[in-house]
Amino acid sequence: MKFCSSCGAAVTLRIPEGDDRERYVCSACEFIHYINPRIIVGCLPVHEGRVLLCKRAIEPRHGLWTLPAGFMENGETTAQGAARETWEEARAKATNLHLYRIFDLPYISQVYMFYRCELENGAFGVGPESLESGLYAEDEIPWEELAFPVVRETLRDYFRERDSGVFPVKITGLEYQPRPPSSTQE
Amino acid sequence: MKFCSSCGAAVTLRIPEGDDRERYVCSACEFIHYINPRIIVGCLPVHEGRVLLCKRAIEPRHGLWTLPAGFMENGETTAQGAARETWEEARAKATNLHLYRIFDLPYISQVYMFYRCELENGAFGVGPESLESGLYAEDEIPWEELAFPVVRETLRDYFRERDSGVFPVKITGLEYQPRPPSSTQE
């Protein structure tokens, strides 16, 4: 951030009065520009024991597999956002949504929220941000080609808890995990 | 938003290619400025059966009672943010935090996340954003003078669930609730 989005003057990084951390403050109109964490909402869609995964057509992690998820938009609930992303990425209608896994990713200032859900009529397709999509049983999942640690953790937890039929909502803090070189796994 | 925070040129509201909703886009450098929901993190601090409340010294809802909560900051986890707010508003050290209630407030594009917690040594004070603070039993809580619906819901749920000792994590969508005129209740 270099310029004030309100008046167009230059901003400076300083600690406003009464605050305890640096903010971008406008040198002309004194407007304080706060930058806050963002929420990523997604679904773990299950149909007849299989989970819907999408192969990413965009960066980051182009060509790796993910659960449908993306940035939450203004004016929607987390569940609405998760269902919207499921439609956008996998052309699937999410039904019977239940909040399931939440992840803190403080090193990139993101909070992930995944919902368990079902697929209306078991139908799905391929949205513009995906190369392909498909339903995978536990032993068919491309575990070594998953795009993000949050996806792996959510899938792992789901298959571990599935037999019990009890899926408590849980929040987990993840630390930065560098991707090993010359491998698609992280 | 009127100006691009990256180059200072004027922004226009339009639907970028491949998108389906209006964004602020820079007329010069084409930067797309996304505006996303914000997370409010807070605590429900309990000590010897009483709940810690703060009387707000700031707008909105100046003079009404709240649980310590505020905007999550970049670089922290939701639990760290909730503990930070508890320190800032009530000079209390939150321990043994457990995620408890989550609220979608789509009409103001906010997601609230409250943690149940204990108070280290039962100690608390008054931070700069509070007029006073105190520990309240269920029948002492100023139910008619609570600042926000999310605070009332969280307190209600807590006292209802306390006897069972089971506090499942739950997410609730709240609709806009206009405040009745000539009343402090909403």
Side-chain angles (χ1 to χ4, degrees):
Chain A
M1 175 172 283
K2 294 178 185 168
F3 299 94
C4 175
S5 58
S6 181
C7 81
V11 294
T12 56
L13 202 55
R14 64 179 174 86
I15 302 176
E17 200 185 315
D19 204 337
D20 63 356
R21 63 190 73 201
E22 288 189 322
R23 313 282 183 185
Y24 289 103
V25 182
C26 180
S27 56
C29 76
E30 298 280 312
F31 191 91
I32 304 168
H33 298 273
Y34 296 95
I35 300 175
N36 298 93
R38 294 208 282 181
I39 302 170
I40 285 113
V41 284
C43 277
L44 171 76
V46 181
H47 182 69
E48 294 177 352
R50 290 183 152 81
V51 166
L52 183 66
L53 295 177
C54 303
K55 194 172 193 175
R56 289 173 66 83
I58 54 171
E59 293 296 344
R61 312 284 194 269
H62 182 283
L64 298 183
W65 293 87
T66 189
L67 293 165
F71 287 112
M72 185 181 177
E73 298 276 6
N74 275 1
E76 66 185 8
T77 64
T78 49
Q80 287 167 347
R84 176 183 51 71
E85 288 289 340
T86 304
W87 174 255
E88 289 178 7
E89 300 192 359
R91 291 293 180 251
K93 289 189 181 160
T95 60
N96 198 17
L97 281 76
H98 295 281
L99 183 60
Y100 183 45
R101 280 293 172 270
I102 309 171
F103 297 94
D104 279 304
L105 279 64
Y107 55 96
I108 46 172
S109 296
Q110 293 182 350
V111 176
Y112 265 80
M113 298 176 74
F114 281 109
Y115 281 81
R116 289 184 298 115
C117 74
E118 295 168 15
L119 290 181
E120 192 176 277
N121 302 322
F124 64 91
V126 180
E129 296 181 3
S130 304
L131 296 169
E132 55 179 299
S133 60
L135 290 167
Y136 291 85
E138 181 174 9
D139 60 1
E140 299 165 342
I141 285 179
W143 290 102
E144 303 299 308
E145 292 170 41
L146 296 177
F148 305 107
V150 295
V151 171
R152 193 171 55 240
E153 296 271 325
T154 302
L155 290 169
R156 239 193 233 154
D157 287 347
Y158 174 72
F159 288 113
R160 190 160 42 206
E161 293 174 355
R162 185 172 55 171
D163 289 341
S164 73
V166 181
F167 302 97
V169 180
K170 199 173 78 175
I171 185 163
T172 309
L174 290 189
E175 312 235 327
Y176 174 63
Q177 299 177 33
R179 290 166 66 80
S182 66
S183 163
T184 53
Q185 191 185 13
E186 67 175 33
Chain B
M1 173 171 287
K2 293 177 186 168
F3 299 94
C4 175
S5 58
S6 180
C7 80
V11 295
T12 55
L13 202 55
R14 64 178 172 88
I15 302 176
E17 199 185 317
D19 205 338
D20 63 356
R21 63 191 72 202
E22 288 189 321
R23 314 282 181 185
Y24 289 104
V25 182
C26 179
S27 56
C29 76
E30 298 279 314
F31 192 90
I32 303 169
H33 298 273
Y34 295 95
I35 301 174
N36 298 92
R38 294 208 283 182
I39 302 170
I40 285 113
V41 284
C43 277
L44 171 78
V46 181
H47 182 68
E48 294 177 352
R50 290 183 151 81
V51 166
L52 183 66
L53 295 177
C54 303
K55 195 173 192 174
R56 288 173 65 83
I58 52 171
E59 293 295 346
R61 313 283 194 269
H62 181 282
L64 298 183
W65 292 86
T66 189
L67 292 166
F71 288 110
M72 186 180 177
E73 298 276 6
N74 275 1
E76 66 186 8
T77 64
T78 50
Q80 286 167 347
R84 175 183 51 70
E85 288 289 340
T86 304
W87 174 256
E88 288 177 7
E89 299 191 1
R91 291 294 180 249
K93 288 189 183 163
T95 60
N96 200 16
L97 282 76
H98 295 280
L99 184 61
Y100 183 44
R101 279 294 171 272
I102 308 170
F103 296 95
D104 279 303
L105 279 65
Y107 56 97
I108 48 173
S109 297
Q110 292 181 351
V111 175
Y112 265 79
M113 298 178 74
F114 281 110
Y115 280 81
R116 291 183 298 115
C117 73
E118 295 167 16
L119 290 180
E120 191 176 278
N121 303 320
F124 63 92
V126 180
E129 295 181 5
S130 303
L131 297 168
E132 56 180 296
S133 60
L135 289 167
Y136 292 85
E138 182 173 8
D139 60 0
E140 299 165 341
I141 284 177
W143 291 101
E144 303 300 307
E145 293 170 42
L146 296 177
F148 304 107
V150 294
V151 171
R152 193 171 57 241
E153 296 272 326
T154 302
L155 290 169
R156 238 193 232 153
D157 286 345
Y158 174 72
F159 288 114
R160 190 161 42 206
E161 293 173 354
R162 185 174 54 172
D163 289 342
S164 72
V166 180
F167 301 98
V169 180
K170 198 173 79 175
I171 186 162
T172 311
L174 290 188
E175 312 238 324
Y176 174 64
Q177 299 177 31
R179 292 167 63 80
S182 67
S183 163
T184 53
Q185 191 187 10
E186 70 175 34

